[in-house]
Each structure stands twice: as structure tokens, then as C-alpha cells.
Amino acid sequence: MLSNLLGWTAMGCSLLAIASCSGWVSASTNSEHPASVMVKFIKPTSLEASQIMPEPLLFETAADFAEGTAAVRLGEKLGYIDHKGVLITEIADPNVGIIGNFSEELAIARAGEYHGYIDVSGDWAIAVQFKQAKSFSEGLAAVQGREKYGFVNTRGQWVIEPEFVLAESFSEGLAVVKQDNRYGYVDQHGDFAIPIQFKDAWQFSNQRAVVKVDNQYGYLAPDGNIAIPLTFDGAFTFSEGLARVRQGSQWGFISPDGEQAIPPQFDYASDFSEDRAVVLQRGQWGYIDRTGEMAVSGNFSYAADFSEGLAAVQIEGKYGYVDIGGKMVIEPIFQNAGPFSEGLARVQVGDRWGYVKPNGQLLTQQ
């Protein structure tokens, strides 16, 4: 993400190559804005196979589901499966080595050193031509032409000419851009809605955006005025009406009006997801509720965000899932595990990847 992000990697992100953990699976650290969201397939480390159920459907690599499909590699085949595990789209172009999740019915694909976009049939919708490319959001995608970033529409036409050193995806009608080592915001016409001026800047969420001036962080309103004063040593995007902030080495949460919702007291905190936030306190991982009270605790070596009512946790080197009340509903038997998305979660079984259902059963061959 941006420059004050911790080097925090979501569950399984070290094994698929994705930027910002929804695209490259190797999560970027903080020095710059994330690269395009896409999946590069890297064979995971070998472990003995887990005897979960007969003939599970397993792949060399697998990504989270999005818009009804998930990117997988099966042998030499690179393509997308549906929720039944059927390969519905196979990438025919042998030059394609990286594909991403679909967003607004288009997915990033990389052939050689350049990127384009494929449609749901696996054909090129926008020809390979960009040095970097990011997923479509609000009808536009940030792409790098020869040297600079601009924005194209779903037909591949330049809507905002490439004139920026960096550019982020649109969110709430505005996009972060970088020029002359400073950040500002443009609207969907390419006009500056908020002039270039900040040392760092993030996307808008809940009508607030993190910005950095000098060495302190605060929050910007869409009109360009500072909505929450620059008083934090670290600040992050609002999620479910609360934002995690850091003062010194301690983490807490604030509301959109800047009021302290949960005082700084944690050694680490993640964003709220489904009314729970992962925290680390005195070496112990757990989940707090919106009042700051510990709602779920356990002997976790790692804990991931809740998604669709379940969260991946690590116990004694293996991964399983707990529900919102802290009950272990899928036993820790996997080498790695991702978040539930569209009713399935990718899990590592031995040296391959499959998909587990909320009842703990693996997706099987049809």
C-alpha cells in the first residue's frame, strides 16, 4: 500500500503473486502504491497430503473467487473455474503467464513484460500494451503507458491521458495521483479535484482519505479540507465506520468525525470486518468487537480477517477457521488458508491448492 503500511501479509499472500493481496499474492510493503491486482502462479512448498475427503479437486495454484470465477492453474492449463470447480474459461494465448481476478467483467493478463485485459471468454478485450495495469473500478482502470500513468475505459480508450508518475484506482469518484513527488486527487474527467500537495495519500472510504503532511497523518474530506487533524503516527482507511490509527507503538480506532472510538492499547490492529478486528496484545492474537472488548481469543499463532462469517487462524503451524463466536468450525489441518469469498475459500492441501466449503468439505471432482 502506501508509505506507512506495516509489512503485514494476509493469509496465504506469500504464495500467490498478488499486489495489495487481492491481486499479486506477494503483498507489497509500504514504500509505494500497490501494483496491479493480479495472480502470478508460484508452486507452493511441498508438505505431506492431508486426508480430508476422497478425490478433492486440487490445483497447482488457486486464487480467491470474484465475480463468479477463480483463477487457477491445473497442469499446463491456466484459466478460470466456476463454483462447481468446472474449468469454464481456458487461456488460449500461450504467451500469457499471469492472470488476475475479474473486476467489472475484465481481468488483467500479462504476456511477456506487458499487460492487457481479457474478457470472460478468455479473449483479449484490451490488447497487451501497458507496462503496468490495475483492476477496473468505477468504469476506469489506472494503467502505465510508455512512462506515465493515466486511465482507460473498458474499451481501452484513454479517458485521462498518461501524465502521472503513479495513479490509484478510483474510489468514491476520486483517484489518487502522483506528480513531482507529491500526491493529489483527480476526478473522472482528469481535472484536479484536490491539488497535488501531500507527501502521501490514500483512496477515499467513508468520505475520508488518509493523507500525510510532514511526518504526521490525518484524514481529508472530499472537498479537500482536513476533516481529522494530522496528529497520528500511522493511519489507515475507514472500514465499517471505524479506522485504525497508531500513536507511538500503540493502535486504536477512531470514528469519521475524528473521535476516539477505541483508545490506543494494542500492539497491532487490523481493519474491522464483519464487526470484528484482529488485534495483537501482549503477544496474543484475538478479535475485538466495536466497543474494544475481546470477543474471540485463542491460542492463535496468526489470525486473519472475518469474511462471510468465518476467519482463518493458525494453530501449531496449521490453519483452520473460527466463526464469529470463536468456535473452531473447520479444524486446523491446512498448510495455508485464504478468506471465504462467494462461499468458498482456497486452502493448501499438501503441495497443492483446493477450495473448502463452510462445512469443512473440500470441493470435489465432478
Side-chain angles (χ1 to χ4, degrees), residues 4 46 71 81 93-94 98 104 134 137 139-140 166 178 184 306 337:
N4 72 325
S46 176
I81 61 170
D93 189 337
I98 301 173
E104 301 185 6
K134 301 183 181 183
S137 176
L140 297 175
L166 283 175
K178 183 179 182 181
F306 273 92

Side-chain angles (χ1 to χ4, degrees), residues 28-111:
S28 79
T29 52
N30 319 341
S31 57
E32 281 293 357
H33 297 266
S36 54
V37 175
M38 54 193 172
V39 180
K40 178 180 180 181
F41 297 103
I42 301 173
K43 187 174 182 179
T45 305
S46 176
L47 269 187
E48 62 181 11
S50 175
Q51 301 299 318
I52 309 296
M53 61 185 299
E55 297 185 357
L57 186 59
L58 299 177
F59 305 93
E60 278 68 33
T61 46
D64 299 330
F65 271 88
E67 296 192 2
T69 65
V72 298
R73 182 186 292 279
L74 180 60
E76 296 301 316
K77 294 181 179 180
L78 181 64
Y80 296 87
I81 61 170
D82 63 14
H83 294 109
K84 295 181 179 180
V86 178
L87 187 68
I88 58 172
T89 302
E90 184 175 349
I91 306 303
D93 189 337
N95 297 309
V96 174
I98 301 173
I99 58 176
N101 290 335
F102 279 97
S103 177
E104 301 185 6
E105 299 185 347
L106 293 175
I108 300 163
R110 178 173 173 175

Side-chain angles (χ1 to χ4, degrees), residues 1-2 4 33 168-177 183-186 193-195 197-213 216-232 234-239 241-245 254-258:
M1 269 241 178
L2 306 179
N4 72 325
H33 297 266
E168 281 298 324
S169 300
F170 272 91
S171 177
E172 300 185 0
L174 297 175
V176 178
V177 295
Y183 295 90
Y185 295 82
V186 294
I194 302 172
Q197 58 188 293
F198 304 107
K199 190 174 181 179
D200 198 0
W202 293 32
Q203 293 176 321
F204 273 92
S205 175
N206 291 169
Q207 298 293 297
R208 296 289 182 266
V210 176
V211 292
K212 183 179 182 180
V213 176
Q216 293 294 108
Y217 293 87
Y219 290 83
L220 198 65
D223 61 6
N225 291 317
I226 297 296
I228 301 174
L230 300 146
T231 60
F232 305 107
F236 294 78
T237 302
F238 274 89
S239 176
L242 295 174
R244 56 189 168 119
V245 293
I254 61 171
S255 62
D257 59 6

